[in-house]
Structures are given as C-alpha cells and as structure tokens.
C-alpha cells in the first residue's frame, strides 16, 4: 500500500515513456492527471540524469487540457503570467498564485480569516488590494460555484474589478521597486 504523504514516483525513460514505480507499469499524461485529481502528489524524474521533470509535465498537462477547449485560465490571466516572467512582479507572482490556490482548496471564508489573522504578509503595503483581487479572482475562476459569487452579470463586474485591482497592485509594486 502506498504512503499517502509520499509522492508517487514516475520515471521517464529515454524513450520518453513514463513508468509508475508503484504499480510497475507505463502511464500516460492523462493517468498522471487522474492521480493528481485523486489527491496524489507526483514526482516525475528522468531515469538517466535524475533531473526532476515534474514542473515540465504538469505544464504539459495544463496545456493539453487548455488546447482541448477546457479553458480554466482566461487569456488575460495567461497574458499576465507571460508578462510576469519579464517584470519586477515576477518575484511576487508565484507566491500570490500558490496562496490563491491554497485558499481555494481550503474554502474561501476560512482562508480569508486565517490570512488576515496569521499571515505575516498582512503588513505588506497593498495587501488589502491583493486580498480583494484574490477574492474576485476566485469568483471569476469558479464560475459562481462559490456561494455568493452572484450572477454572470455580477461576475463580469468582478472581472473588471479584478483588472482594476491588478493594475493598482502593479502600480504599487512598481513604486516599491523604485
């Protein structure tokens, strides 16, 4: 039986085939996506070099889902991610995204309470704007699944609000960098 807290080790052979070390069989990207949806952590390593390829394969899974019309990431978000790779905000973006998805997983109301009480980032200038932007981001990304997300018209307003708040946050970040 697999340990729940230990990542599932997938080895990539020179033939680019992916091998599940727990079940001793070959797997596809879709199989790996299913493991992740079931709550498993995975680690994909190159058999020969030992290089960790997990990030590369996770991005490939996302790209394949997006190309099949399973659009989770709006074009504006993808565009902002590309921009973040060449901007001063790049150092903030990974932490922001990680915190956003952790909050989504834990539940919006519980996460918002914890963030304001125990988060050392709460003292950071512009944190309230970022928190409000995260809340609007959740509503837009979940399509109203979160209770109180409102109607599609309200979500359109939320998206405009996200854009305004993101612009304000980017302006504050650029001022902090000077």
């Amino acid at each position: 039986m697999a340990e729940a807290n230990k990542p599932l080790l997938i080895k990539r052979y020179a033939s680019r085939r992916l091998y599940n070390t727990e079940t001793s069989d070959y797997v596809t990207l879709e199989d790996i996506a299913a493991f992740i949806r079931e709550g498993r952590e995975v680690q994909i390593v190159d058999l020969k070099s030992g290089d960790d390829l997990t990030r590369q394969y996770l991005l490939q899974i996302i790209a394949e889902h997006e190309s099949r019309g399973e659009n989770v990431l709006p074009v504006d978000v993808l565009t902002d991610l590309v921009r973040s790779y060449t901007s001063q905000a790049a150092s903030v973006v990974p932490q922001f995204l990680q915190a956003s998805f952790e909050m989504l997983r834990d539940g919006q109301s519980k996460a918002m309470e914890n963030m304001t009480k125990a988060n050392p980032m709460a003292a950071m200038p512009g944190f309230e704007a970022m928190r409000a932007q995260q809340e609007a981001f959740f509503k837009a990304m979940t399509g109203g699944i979160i209770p109180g997300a409102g109607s599609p018209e309200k979500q359109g307003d939320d998206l405009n609000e996200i854009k305004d708040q993101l612009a304000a946050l980017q302006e504050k970040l650029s001022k902090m960098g000077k």
Side-chain angles (χ1 to χ4, degrees):
M1 182 151 193
E3 292 181 43
N5 60 352
K6 185 178 178 185
L8 170 60
L9 180 61
I10 306 289
K11 293 183 179 180
R12 184 186 77 175
Y13 285 90
S15 65
R16 303 184 69 78
R17 291 191 72 184
L18 300 168
Y19 184 77
N20 181 339
T21 59
E22 282 184 6
T23 59
S24 300
D25 62 348
Y26 291 102
V27 293
T28 65
L29 283 179
E30 194 54 43
D31 294 330
I32 293 171
F35 297 144
I36 293 168
R37 283 191 289 274
E38 292 167 1
R40 286 297 305 266
E41 296 292 324
V42 298
Q43 181 180 19
I44 304 167
V45 297
D46 184 86
L47 181 66
K48 187 175 181 180
S49 69
D51 291 343
D52 189 338
L53 306 173
T54 308
R55 180 183 310 269
Q56 170 187 332
Y57 277 93
L58 293 177
L59 287 169
Q60 187 175 345
I61 290 168
I62 291 167
E64 286 188 11
H65 283 273
E66 289 284 323
S67 71
R68 289 192 303 245
E70 301 170 29
N71 299 327
V72 173
L73 299 169
V75 172
D76 291 346
V77 172
L78 293 170
T79 302
D80 287 340
L81 283 172
V82 171
R83 283 187 185 123
S84 74
Y85 278 91
T86 59
S87 71
Q88 291 177 344
S91 62
V92 175
V93 172
Q95 293 89 355
F96 171 75
L97 290 174
Q98 182 176 1
S100 296
F101 281 102
E102 284 174 6
M103 288 172 53
L104 185 60
R105 248 188 334 258
D106 295 341
Q108 184 182 17
S109 61
K110 179 182 174 188
M112 290 299 167
E113 288 175 12
N114 291 341
M115 188 177 274
T116 55
K117 290 179 184 175
N119 193 335
M121 287 178 53
M124 184 177 91
F127 179 77
E128 276 304 309
M130 187 167 62
R131 188 202 56 76
Q133 189 275 335
Q134 283 179 331
E135 187 173 348
F137 175 77
F138 294 144
K139 289 177 184 175
M141 290 297 286
T142 59
I145 294 172
I146 296 175
S151 66
E153 295 82 16
K154 173 76 170 100
Q155 291 173 10
D157 293 342
D158 288 343
L159 190 55
N160 289 332
E161 185 178 332
I162 289 171
K163 289 178 183 177
D164 293 343
Q165 290 173 354
L166 185 57
L169 182 59
Q170 288 173 331
E171 184 177 324
K172 287 181 182 182
L173 286 171
S174 66
K175 287 179 184 177
M176 288 173 55
K178 292 181 182 180

